[in-house]
Amino acid sequence: MSQSVAFIGLGAMGYRMAAHLPKHFDTVYVWNRNFEKAKQHAADYGTKAVSLEQAVQADIIFSCLPTSTDVETLISSVEIKSGAIWIDCTSGVPNSARALASSLKQLNIDFLDAPVSGQTVGAENATLTVMVGGDAAAFERALPALQAVGKLIKHVGESGAGFAVKAVNNMLLAVNLWSVAEGFSALKAHGVSLNEALECINASSGKSLVTETIFPQRVLSREFPVTFGLPLLAKDTGIALDLVKQAKLPAPLLSLTQSLIQAAHLTAEDNSDFSAAVKMYEAWTKITLE
Amino acid sequence: MSQSVAFIGLGAMGYRMAAHLPKHFDTVYVWNRNFEKAKQHAADYGTKAVSLEQAVQADIIFSCLPTSTDVETLISSVEIKSGAIWIDCTSGVPNSARALASSLKQLNIDFLDAPVSGQTVGAENATLTVMVGGDAAAFERALPALQAVGKLIKHVGESGAGFAVKAVNNMLLAVNLWSVAEGFSALKAHGVSLNEALECINASSGKSLVTETIFPQRVLSREFPVTFGLPLLAKDTGIALDLVKQAKLPAPLLSLTQSLIQAAHLTAEDNSDFSAAVKMYEAWTKITLE
Amino acid sequence: MSQSVAFIGLGAMGYRMAAHLPKHFDTVYVWNRNFEKAKQHAADYGTKAVSLEQAVQADIIFSCLPTSTDVETLISSVEIKSGAIWIDCTSGVPNSARALASSLKQLNIDFLDAPVSGQTVGAENATLTVMVGGDAAAFERALPALQAVGKLIKHVGESGAGFAVKAVNNMLLAVNLWSVAEGFSALKAHGVSLNEALECINASSGKSLVTETIFPQRVLSREFPVTFGLPLLAKDTGIALDLVKQAKLPAPLLSLTQSLIQAAHLTAEDNSDFSAAVKMYEAWTKITLE
Amino acid sequence: MSQSVAFIGLGAMGYRMAAHLPKHFDTVYVWNRNFEKAKQHAADYGTKAVSLEQAVQADIIFSCLPTSTDVETLISSVEIKSGAIWIDCTSGVPNSARALASSLKQLNIDFLDAPVSGQTVGAENATLTVMVGGDAAAFERALPALQAVGKLIKHVGESGAGFAVKAVNNMLLAVNLWSVAEGFSALKAHGVSLNEALECINASSGKSLVTETIFPQRVLSREFPVTFGLPLLAKDTGIALDLVKQAKLPAPLLSLTQSLIQAAHLTAEDNSDFSAAVKMYEAWTKITLE
């Protein structure tokens, strides 16, 4: 396509996502705070490592940063091309999306919150799920760019709705992770074979992505590969709880889960995978889930 | 096969499970407290409706009753054939299985706890998952009979292990059901489309059988079809919590879930499906999940 | 004293608190949205019912309103006398106190958050506890006015600290109320005499103001007198939880309590006393605490 | 009095309780597993150190042991005098009391569950609170002996009721301890002075024995004196939860508290005071409550 596109933030996800763009767009700018990474990306995939000022002159600008605060800071520091669409793939804060969309609208720029799911393997294969909040017309215009990186791409509501769905998804991941740890520790204490139990549950009503892949591949294997950090899961459960709070809803189970994940985060070793949250529980029970 | 087999307890599950046995066994006895059902089964499937005394003279005896107490009462009232295997498909209590297995062993009878998962549709199609606890040799001898009703059949440990896995499975079902209700109420309060959100989550890390089938088919559809009663789910979460307690483990998330499901059960209309537990939460929030 | 003083907000607490001021100050203005109440107060206690504009010309201005939002709205609508001290007795939001203190400081006005505890009887007898946040020098200057309405008057920290202590106090009240309801329902289910149990606990390590007065006088008596509304307790537990959240702390017990109180509030009859929160629990258990 | 009395179990509580008996009874036997302690008691207070066989020939027999299991084992090993009253001051299990009372009744022996509250200082001064379950006539006969060690002595119901009240009391202690830790950590994170906050709360509706004495004397002082061990509090919260479970009640707050206390117990240093449960929470938050 003749549109120009930029990708800002070449972390584990962004680096892989941006790699697909040259197949669909003639001009692909990349920028990263550590600029060496941008240059490496250009060398690897034929993108152009440019200054931030130039990147935000693209027609479509992706961002994928650790937090909404990072996105706010970055956007406030640049002058974005009028008429551009900003697609923010950060797992961010719904209120921040609403505020950014509203203020950018004044400058004739559309802002879509478009967090992704599917881990690095999904980014690698362009099979990410993208949940998008924001203006419906902007969503339609952004669709070709989104399709370059994702497979299931859904417009889930107004600004902030994408971030909201992502936060709830990750909260459910946290609930499942912790509850499976509790349940399987009880089974182990009673002498049950965890692998056989897992197989049964995966053919039954208690199954989840956690029982199907997270638990066997990360926990029972004792590998805890660091692909999605525990601090990020803690942040996301906090975002989900803010949604609950803003709506003045009681949410006993999600609240408790957030407290447990936050405690696990505060007591975890640096650079822990989210799945390592179960280690705090193991420290209580002295039962190793293996 | 020339072995005789009996099926005791022709409820929604048992009636369908027993229907498969005549394809594999020459002699199939059935018995039910309301004996009309046994006679109907004989007429429908070519089984033999017999007295309880005769049923327990079979080589292999299945039972599928509401609770372990029912099984204990029934077993204490009859004289079972020496050398028989009793396969109890009730969602029962691990301690009860251990006690029955131990006392029946004295009489040269094997007792396997063999709860099933897969709902009535799985019973209909003989595709149930069966999680079996008890003596390994007895499990091998029982396998052909188990294969007549199930697809995935696993020996998960000593006596009680089958019941334990089933209880934990159902506890995880309860956790998922309630947490999805909380999360989706927050999304709805923020104007997010629940069906689109569900589709995203089902392609993401927060997915579970609850998000894939239970929630769309039972809750969002407002159908709450009564295939697995809420009192039974409340009972099963209680069994899971007993496992936790016997092992002296802390289990904050499972404990809270059990309290919520028990409260939902105590306040539900008679004859509610387990999925109707979310109605208590809806009564708090005034948000209908549809 | 020759200082003038004003009292804004003549609710159940404010009406009684303002009644003590003429004993200590020559000029006492009162104002209330429903102005008839202000006129009645002037007739009853020799205060002066004046316009809001005049009230805020006093040297010391008390406010006692339902929420911090009410205080913010009111303050933003008037021109307060330079050099005045504003003493806000609302059970308010710490962040709001910080913002008001900071912006009023620009106008040479001191703002103290000074929530009170002690119910209407404490207001009547000028025996309230007052927990004060804000500038230490302003606290010293405000002390004579505070002593007119309270007995124990403490400077607990910077702006917002008074509101924070009040919110945590009310959260602990909520925790105690709900946990006593759970514990006593279990005792009643086991045939224990609740009055005798209460007497024992009040001489033991489990005692609290809830077991000493709230439970016997409001719950077991079935009176639930409406002196402190359930919506206000729900608001205060929310404020306490915001403190937790801003500090990024896990707080499983407070979080759960807030969810339960919020659910009780959402399902309660209009105009319920805070103690009526236990009615939601009674609806679960079918056990009446009497 | 001319009745003989025995005291079995001279731990921190029992040693001090038994010291009062010679003032009221002519014959006072004492027995302890480590018999040196019994001899020391005899030397200190004029009691008689006798064999267990002789001790159980007294008219009134006190026991004060770690757990109900210890009491059951001991009782099953001896032949108690017909017509005797056994007063068990252990913090025990209601079901155990019911079973012992029922089987001893066959032998014309009354069994009262009579746990005490008031710590070692209450034992020292004979000002304990005694909550008694069991036969009302036996209670009346036991009253003079109970009055020798306690001040407030209440018959709270049938067998097991005394243990039930004690368990709920200690559960409330646990709830208060943990919730104050959460609330005060939030206050400290916001720069509030904890001692001033405590003083305010102790004059307000959130007060409890925990805020009045436990927290200032044991936690904020960083002393954690070992007068009531954390394993015993964990045991007692478990007993309270069993009451809940037997009555099939939901109890979200008590269940969560029990999980937290159990986790704190499992991760605590050996020989920790119950108040040291807050150290697990401090390990999460990195905030020291001082």
Side-chain angles (χ1 to χ4, degrees), chain A residues 174-243:
Chain A
V175 169
N176 292 346
L177 177 68
W178 191 277
S179 58
V180 171
E182 291 187 5
F184 273 56
S185 297
L187 288 178
K188 188 163 182 189
H190 287 271
V192 176
S193 154
L194 296 194
N195 287 311
E196 306 288 320
L198 208 52
E199 224 177 309
C200 291
I201 288 173
N202 283 332
S204 299
S205 53
K207 82 165 171 184
S208 61
L209 192 97
V210 166
T211 58
E212 288 176 324
T213 70
I214 306 291
F215 225 71
Q217 292 172 12
R218 292 174 185 242
V219 178
L220 296 182
S221 71
R222 309 311 290 170
E223 292 193 3
F224 305 103
V226 187
T227 63
F228 173 47
L230 181 49
L232 294 175
L233 182 62
K235 178 204 67 171
D236 292 346
T237 59
I239 294 172
L241 216 61
D242 281 338
L243 288 172

Side-chain angles (χ1 to χ4, degrees), chain D residues 11-285:
Chain D
M13 293 298 286
Y15 200 89
R16 288 165 173 85
M17 291 165 72
H20 302 292
L21 296 173
K23 304 169 208 162
H24 305 277
F25 294 90
D26 298 336
T27 310
V28 180
Y29 300 135
V30 293
W31 183 83
N32 195 59
R33 189 170 301 273
N34 170 354
F35 199 65
E36 286 307 308
K37 258 191 163 172
K39 287 198 273 187
Q40 185 63 48
H41 197 275
D44 287 356
Y45 301 111
T47 53
K48 292 186 196 170
V50 300
S51 69
L52 183 56
E53 288 65 32
Q54 190 172 349
V56 299
Q57 294 311 310
D59 299 309
I60 294 174
I61 305 151
F62 282 91
S63 57
C64 194
L65 300 178
T67 70
S68 278
T69 307
D70 297 314
V71 177
E72 290 166 8
T73 306
L74 191 139
I75 284 181
S76 72
S77 74
V78 293
E79 238 173 275
I80 306 164
K81 179 183 178 180
S82 175
I85 304 178
W86 190 293
I87 301 173
D88 183 23
C89 300
T90 302
S91 287
V93 176
N95 277 354
S96 170
R98 277 187 281 273
L100 284 172
S102 161
S103 64
L104 289 176
K105 196 76 198 165
Q106 311 298 319
L107 307 169
N108 191 35
I109 298 157
D110 283 299
F111 180 91
L112 298 172
D113 48 303
V116 298
S117 176
Q119 309 249 349
T120 47
V121 62
E124 189 99 30
N125 300 328
T127 55
L128 294 169
T129 299
V130 195
M131 34 215 105
V132 188
D135 183 75
F139 171 75
E140 291 302 328
R141 284 163 52 218
L143 205 46
L146 289 165
Q147 283 164 335
V149 300
K151 193 167 147 206
L152 180 72
I153 295 151
K154 284 278 164 185
H155 185 237
V156 294
E158 300 297 303
S159 266
F163 286 163
V165 172
K166 182 71 195 291
V168 167
N169 177 78
N170 284 11
M171 176 60 102
L172 294 176
L173 169 63
V175 169
N176 293 346
L177 177 67
W178 191 277
S179 57
V180 171
E182 291 188 5
F184 272 57
S185 297
L187 289 179
K188 188 163 182 188
H190 287 271
V192 176
S193 153
L194 296 194
N195 286 311
E196 306 288 321
L198 207 52
E199 223 177 310
C200 291
I201 289 174
N202 283 333
S204 299
S205 54
K207 82 167 171 181
S208 62
L209 192 95
V210 166
T211 58
E212 289 176 324
T213 69
I214 307 291
F215 225 70
Q217 293 171 12
R218 293 174 185 243
V219 178
L220 296 183
S221 71
R222 308 311 289 171
E223 292 193 3
F224 304 104
V226 187
T227 63
F228 173 47
L230 181 50
L232 293 175
L233 182 62
K235 179 203 66 172
D236 291 346
T237 59
I239 294 172
L241 216 61
D242 281 337
L243 288 172
V244 163
K245 188 147 185 47
Q246 286 156 20
K248 295 185 185 301
L249 299 179
L253 218 48
L254 304 192
S255 300
L256 177 56
T257 300
Q258 196 269 334
S259 279
L260 294 168
I261 294 294
Q262 182 65 10
H265 156 52
L266 291 172
T267 55
E269 292 171 28
D270 283 354
N271 199 28
S272 286
D273 186 59
F274 78 99
S275 57
V278 305
K279 290 185 183 176
M280 182 173 85
Y281 186 65
E282 293 181 330
W284 296 357
T285 61

Side-chain angles (χ1 to χ4, degrees), chain C residues 12-96:
Chain C
M13 293 298 287
Y15 200 89
R16 288 164 172 87
M17 289 164 73
H20 301 293
L21 296 173
K23 302 170 208 162
H24 305 276
F25 294 90
D26 298 335
T27 309
V28 179
Y29 300 134
V30 292
W31 183 83
N32 195 60
R33 187 169 303 272
N34 169 353
F35 199 66
E36 286 308 308
K37 259 189 160 174
K39 288 198 272 189
Q40 184 63 47
H41 197 276
D44 287 356
Y45 300 112
T47 52
K48 292 187 193 167
V50 299
S51 69
L52 182 56
E53 287 66 30
Q54 188 173 350
V56 298
Q57 295 311 310
D59 299 309
I60 295 173
I61 305 150
F62 281 91
S63 58
C64 193
L65 299 178
T67 70
S68 279
T69 307
D70 297 316
V71 178
E72 290 166 7
T73 306
L74 190 138
I75 284 182
S76 71
S77 74
V78 292
E79 238 173 278
I80 306 165
K81 178 182 179 182
S82 175
I85 304 178
W86 190 294
I87 301 172
D88 183 23
C89 300
T90 302
S91 288
V93 174
N95 277 353
S96 170

Side-chain angles (χ1 to χ4, degrees), chain B residues 151-183:
Chain B
K151 192 169 149 207
L152 180 73
I153 296 152
K154 285 279 163 186
H155 184 235
V156 293
E158 300 297 304
S159 268
F163 286 164
V165 173
K166 182 72 197 291
V168 167
N169 178 78
N170 284 11
M171 175 60 101
L172 294 176
L173 169 64
V175 169
N176 293 346
L177 177 68
W178 190 277
S179 57
V180 171
E182 291 187 5

